């Protein structure tokens, strides 16, 4: 997907944003002085156009064509009303959350966006329960009630101070009951929303054409009239398009070399690179159903061998940082658990870990990665992981890859012994770097039974409205993740937006979920 509009994006989630300055982005002579048509490039292609089916980068598109009840106005780090007029907890235990919708909202098909439609939008996520989809975000939801045309109440089965953050994710987008069945995903290349833009046309894995929605009612202040999102399989092709001004900006998928190259372009090239604080992470997932990956000693030995410093130096060249816990630096609760336990990479220590478990022969394992979601550097990253593990003499690593859609189906079916994933936060809270990866129905499609986290630690943190006061619980959660090594954090990235020098708004285009809000982009010369 065209990764989620987030102001936090981590170092490795490289993104550049460029808007058409020529070609399809040129303004024709019969257009008004203020009419703006822009183009953005990305390597992150939507997996589905139905919000009930995606817990991935599809959110990048959703944020711009759908509305959620609450969202993040520019400069805000806490959810505020969007499709809603007002929202708040109406009890003292954080178990009843009520919203009143704006009056007169409609979808692009002309039907009303009322309380009934809002209830339908949320209920179907749970009813469909798409594997690898966003239903896991709603684990605390008991039922949804409506009162009149505008009031909707969410009754939770337990206290959950993070629920407003969940409602702000693009997965909770409002959809029209007329077009989105209550018990199955919508298919096809069309969507019906109420967001800042309407989807004029869509070609899977190629492009999405967005045009300003004249009926939009929300906080977004559109600085352009239309945006075409181009989906690239190869980031080198995307960068060339930016340099040739065939697109105005690129977001997601840039390699470290490309970022460095763009930053070093001479002034006459008229390019800019905007760097933002990032919270995007990369990690390995071990499948407990695999004969080798299921053994704790194998996972711990890999954790002992992997050299994160060499990985980020060789592959990401200063655009990423080693990560030693699932909660990244800059987010409350961050720790350096894996470094504190394993220290510097050591083959002798890893050999001892395996020997104590009776493993004396090199362990064969297949590492899988997606070839077209996170940019061209992913292949280089896995080649470096293979080199490190093979050279230890303790492992024999085979690398395999698939395009994202096939890759996602494979990990959801439990086909991969070990696989790589990236994570951009659903919301800026430590909960979102722990909860999505544990439990039966999680974001990586590999059930992870850890009762202390799911039944004790997370419920306690969700009773606390002061999110700065939950450090101890998340510290303990990270100790558990460290001991199990079901997930192995690798690095966190910085966020980069590359654009034509005549484009303004790039520094405001990422929300706290680091999702791209393309309505912020515009040409300086036209405003």
């Amino acid at each position: 997907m065209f990764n989620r509009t987030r102001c936090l994006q981590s170092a490795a989630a490289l993104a550049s944003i460029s808007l058409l300055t020529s070609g399809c982005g040129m303004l024709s002579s019969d257009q008004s002085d203020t009419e703006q048509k822009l183009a953005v490039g990305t390597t992150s292609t939507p997996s589905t156009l139905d919000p009930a089916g995606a817990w991935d980068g599809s959110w990048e598109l959703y944020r711009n064509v759908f509305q959620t009840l609450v969202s993040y106005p520019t400069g805000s780090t806490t959810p505020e009303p969007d499709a809603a007029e007002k929202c708040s907890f109406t009890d003292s235990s954080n178990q009843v959350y009520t919203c009143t919708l704006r009056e007169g909202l409609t979808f692009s098909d002309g039907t009303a966006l009322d309380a009934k439609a809002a209830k339908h939008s949320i209920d179907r996520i749970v009813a469909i329960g798409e594997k690898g989809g966003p239903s896991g975000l709603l684990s605390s939801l008991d039922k949804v009630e409506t009162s009149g045309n505008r009031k909707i109440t969410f009754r939770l089965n337990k206290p959950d101070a993070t629920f407003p953050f969940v409602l702000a994710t693009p997965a909770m987008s409002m959809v029209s009951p007329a077009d989105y069945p209550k018990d199955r995903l919508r298919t096809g290349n069309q969507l019906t929303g109420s967001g800042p833009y309407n989807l004029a046309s869509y070609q899977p894995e190629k492009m999405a054409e967005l045009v300003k929605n004249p009926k939009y009612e929300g906080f977004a202040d559109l600085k352009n009239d239309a945006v075409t999102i181009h989906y690239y399989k190869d980031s080198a092709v995307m960068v060339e398009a930016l340099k040739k001004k065939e697109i105005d900006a690129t977001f997601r998928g840039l390699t470290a070399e490309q970022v460095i190259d763009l930053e070093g372009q001479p002034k006459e090239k008229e390019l800019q690179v905007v760097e933002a604080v990032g919270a995007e992470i990369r990690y390995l997932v071990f499948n407990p159903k695999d004969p080798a990956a299921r053994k704790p000693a194998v996972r711990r030995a890999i954790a002992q061998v992997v050299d994160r410093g060499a990985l980020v130096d060789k592959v990401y060249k200063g655009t990423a940082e080693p990560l030693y816990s699932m909660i990244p630096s800059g987010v409350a609760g961050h720790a350096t658990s894996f470094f504190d336990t394993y220290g510097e990479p050591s083959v002798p220590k890893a050999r001892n870990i395996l020997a104590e478990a009776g493993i004396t022969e090199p362990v064969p394992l297949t590492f899988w990665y997606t070839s077209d979601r996170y940019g061209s550097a992913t292949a280089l990253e896995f080649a470096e992981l293979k080199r490190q593990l093979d050279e230890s003499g303790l492992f024999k690593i085979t690398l395999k890859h698939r395009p994202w859609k096939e890759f996602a189906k494979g990990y959801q079916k439990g086909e991969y012994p070990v696989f790589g994933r990236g994570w951009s936060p659903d919301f800026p809270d430590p909960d979102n770097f722990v909860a999505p990866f544990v439990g039966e129905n999680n974001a990586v499609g590999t059930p992870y039974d850890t009762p202390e986290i799911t039944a004790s630690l997370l419920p306690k943190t969700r009773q606390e409205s002061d999110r700065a006061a939950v450090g101890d619980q998340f510290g303990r959660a990270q100790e558990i993740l460290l001991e199990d090594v079901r997930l192995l954090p690798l690095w966190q990235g910085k966020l980069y937006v590359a654009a034509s020098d005549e484009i303004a708004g790039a520094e405001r285009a990422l929300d706290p979920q680091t999702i791209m809000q393309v309505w912020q982009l515009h040409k300086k010369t036209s405003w």
Side-chain angles (χ1 to χ4, degrees), residues 237-273:
V237 177
M238 179 175 68
V239 170
E240 280 304 304
L242 175 62
K243 290 180 177 180
K244 293 177 180 178
K245 297 191 175 182
E246 295 171 350
I247 58 175
D248 298 308
T250 67
F251 182 64
R252 294 229 186 274
L254 296 181
T255 66
E257 288 83 357
Q258 288 163 349
V259 171
I260 294 170
D261 173 63
L262 289 169
E263 288 180 324
Q265 292 286 308
K267 260 189 172 182
E268 57 267 23
K269 294 294 185 180
E270 298 180 342
L271 295 174
Q272 59 175 314
V273 178

Side-chain angles (χ1 to χ4, degrees), residues 76-110:
S76 172
T77 57
T78 57
E80 297 183 20
D82 184 10
E85 182 178 90
K86 59 182 180 179
C87 289
S88 65
F89 281 106
T90 54
D91 68 333
S92 59
S93 62
N94 294 335
Q95 286 188 259
V96 181
Y97 193 75
T98 300
C99 292
T100 301
L101 276 75
R102 293 175 185 261
E103 192 168 5
L105 291 180
T106 62
F107 291 105
S108 56
D109 66 353

Side-chain angles (χ1 to χ4, degrees), residues 20 24 39-43 206-208 228-232 246-247:
L20 287 178
C24 62
V40 171
T42 180
T43 61
K206 292 184 178 180
M207 70 170 62
T228 298
I229 303 170
H230 294 271
Y231 300 111
Y232 294 89
E246 295 171 350
I247 58 175

Side-chain angles (χ1 to χ4, degrees), residues 18 84 93 112 124 147 173 209 215-217 248 254 263 293 300 318 321 328 337 374 388 416 430 439-440 480 519:
S18 61
S93 62
R124 67 188 297 269
S147 176
S173 295
E209 293 186 319
K215 298 180 180 179
Y216 170 68
E217 294 288 341
D248 298 308
L254 296 181
E263 288 180 324
R300 290 167 186 160
E321 298 176 350
S337 309
Y374 306 124
Q388 293 181 12
Y416 311 143
E440 181 68 24
I480 296 170
W519 62 78

